[in-house]
């Protein structure tokens, strides 16, 4: 869904002198590039995510805690991108269209699973979400690696790999492939993690990718007013009620969709056992 940069962010960006963008190595502005917002919330989110591996956790508590911590951490991560004008802003028209577009996509997936082999659909979707997951995990982990793991002398170095041409329907302009050292390290970790997900389809790998998508979505998609948020939540409220309680579409897609678009919460301590029940979010 298309969005626009907020007017305030554009105005602030226009006021900034052109030479401000290139901060001196080691300066406060450059160090803040690797700032980890709400670190305690991230630690708590990690603890809640892995806790079911070692002990039984009440699913309802786990769902509530995970959702709350993800929103809290994502909102704090968005403060600097919003101030720098690097986020997309949802308009009233976007908020009004969101439930309608979501309904069309949901119904489309329902028809795909109904008329095509489920394994084929899931293989295509797995490939798509794994590629997205590598970028999402890399963006989520890079600030952590840049702040405390990669030496400061390397944290701000970048490597240029070339320029990718315009890809129809995916990019609007040539992409300059230039990555910092923390981004390359986190990229290796992300590729390894996504390979584990493809091979094992473990619920923890699924949740890590799902949380990375959530954090990145909250961080880079902002609402400019409470009114827009109210319109969006009202539309999604009726969207959920209709598709969950009045049709089998939402439940069927959620159970058939073998991709990290949902979070899984074990209802038993032996979550590795086949057939182990899960709650979904």
């Amino acid at each position: 869904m298309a969005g626009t940069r907020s007017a305030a962010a554009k105005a602030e960006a226009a006021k900034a002198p052109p030479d401000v963008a290139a901060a001196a190595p080691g300066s406060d502005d450059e160090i803040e590039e690797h700032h980890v917002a709400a670190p305690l919330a991230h630690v708590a989110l990690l603890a809640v995510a892995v806790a079911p591996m070692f002990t039984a956790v009440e699913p309802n508590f786990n769902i509530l805690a995970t959702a709350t911590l993800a929103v809290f951490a994502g909102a704090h991560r968005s403060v600097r991108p919003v101030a720098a004008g690097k986020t997309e802003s949802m308009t009233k028209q976007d908020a009004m269209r969101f439930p309608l577009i979501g309904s069309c996509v949901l119904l489309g997936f329902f028809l795909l699973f109904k008329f095509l082999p489920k394994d084929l659909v899931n293989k295509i979707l797995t490939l798509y979400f794994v590629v997205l997951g590598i970028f999402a995990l890399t963006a989520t982990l890079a600030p952590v690696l840049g702040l405390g793991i990669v030496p400061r002398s390397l944290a701000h170095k970048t490597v240029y790999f070339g320029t990718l041409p315009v890809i129809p329907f995916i990019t609007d302009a040539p992409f300059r492939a230039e990555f910092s050292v923390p981004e390359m390290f986190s990229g290796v970790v992300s590729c390894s993690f996504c390979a584990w997900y493809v091979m094992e389809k473990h619920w923890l790998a699924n949740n890590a990718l799902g949380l990375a998508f959530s954090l990145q979505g909250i961080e880079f998609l902002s609402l400019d007013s409470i009114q827009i948020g109210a319109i969006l939540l009202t539309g999604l409220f009726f969207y959920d009620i209709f598709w969950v309680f009045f049709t089998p579409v939402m439940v069927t897609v959620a159970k058939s969709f073998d991709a990290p678009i949902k979070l899984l919460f074990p209802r038993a301590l032996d979550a590795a056992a086949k057939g182990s029940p899960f709650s979904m979010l």
Side-chain angles (χ1 to χ4, degrees):
M1 177 174 294
T4 57
R5 288 175 60 188
S6 65
K10 287 182 178 180
E12 290 298 325
K15 292 178 182 178
D19 58 342
V20 171
S27 66
D28 291 342
D29 290 339
E30 189 174 5
I31 291 173
E32 282 193 355
E33 177 185 350
H34 302 293
H35 172 78
V36 179
L40 293 181
H42 285 76
V43 172
L45 185 59
L46 175 63
V48 169
V50 302
M53 292 284 294
F54 307 102
T55 184
V57 179
E58 170 59 36
N60 292 330
F61 167 78
N62 204 346
I63 290 173
L64 181 61
T66 300
T68 302
L69 289 169
V71 172
F72 184 85
H76 278 75
R77 290 175 68 105
S78 72
V79 173
R80 281 175 170 76
V82 168
K86 296 180 180 179
T87 62
E88 295 293 323
S89 180
M90 181 175 288
T91 65
K92 289 182 182 179
Q93 289 74 22
D94 292 333
M96 292 175 184
R97 287 194 296 259
F98 197 94
L100 298 177
I101 296 175
S103 296
C104 293
V105 173
L106 182 65
L107 185 59
F109 280 129
F110 177 77
L111 295 176
L112 285 176
F113 284 117
K114 185 176 180 65
F115 295 108
L116 294 178
K118 185 189 298 185
D119 290 342
L120 175 62
V121 176
N122 275 320
K123 285 180 181 178
I124 296 173
L125 292 174
T126 296
L127 176 62
Y128 174 73
F129 280 100
V130 162
V131 172
L132 292 181
I134 291 174
F135 287 100
L137 272 176
T138 299
T140 302
L141 295 176
V144 179
L145 294 178
L147 186 66
I149 298 178
V150 176
R152 181 175 294 183
S153 59
L154 296 176
H156 304 292
K157 293 185 179 297
T158 60
V159 179
Y160 175 66
F161 293 95
T163 301
L164 299 178
V166 175
I167 303 175
F169 307 109
I170 297 179
T171 60
D172 298 326
F175 174 72
R176 182 179 173 86
E178 184 176 23
F179 305 100
S180 66
V181 173
E183 287 173 337
M184 290 189 289
F185 272 103
S186 57
V188 172
V189 174
S190 301
C191 289
S192 302
F193 203 90
C194 288
W196 176 45
Y197 170 76
V198 171
M199 291 186 293
E200 300 292 337
K201 289 296 180 73
H202 195 277
W203 63 267
L204 183 59
N206 174 90
N207 287 3
L209 290 172
L211 287 171
F213 290 138
S214 300
L215 290 172
Q216 290 301 304
I218 296 172
E219 182 175 355
F220 290 103
L221 181 62
S222 62
L223 304 177
D224 279 349
S225 69
I226 295 177
Q227 183 183 28
I228 295 175
I231 293 172
L232 179 63
L233 289 177
T234 301
L236 292 178
F237 175 75
F238 290 105
Y239 162 89
D240 275 340
I241 289 177
F242 176 76
W243 290 112
V244 173
F245 296 104
F246 290 93
T247 74
V249 173
M250 179 77 81
V251 175
T252 300
V253 171
K255 290 183 177 179
S256 304
F257 212 126
D258 193 12
I261 63 162
K262 57 191 176 185
L263 301 182
L264 301 174
F265 301 92
R267 285 190 251 164
L269 179 58
D270 188 9
K274 286 192 175 181
S276 178
F278 288 92
S279 295
M280 293 187 297
L281 175 62

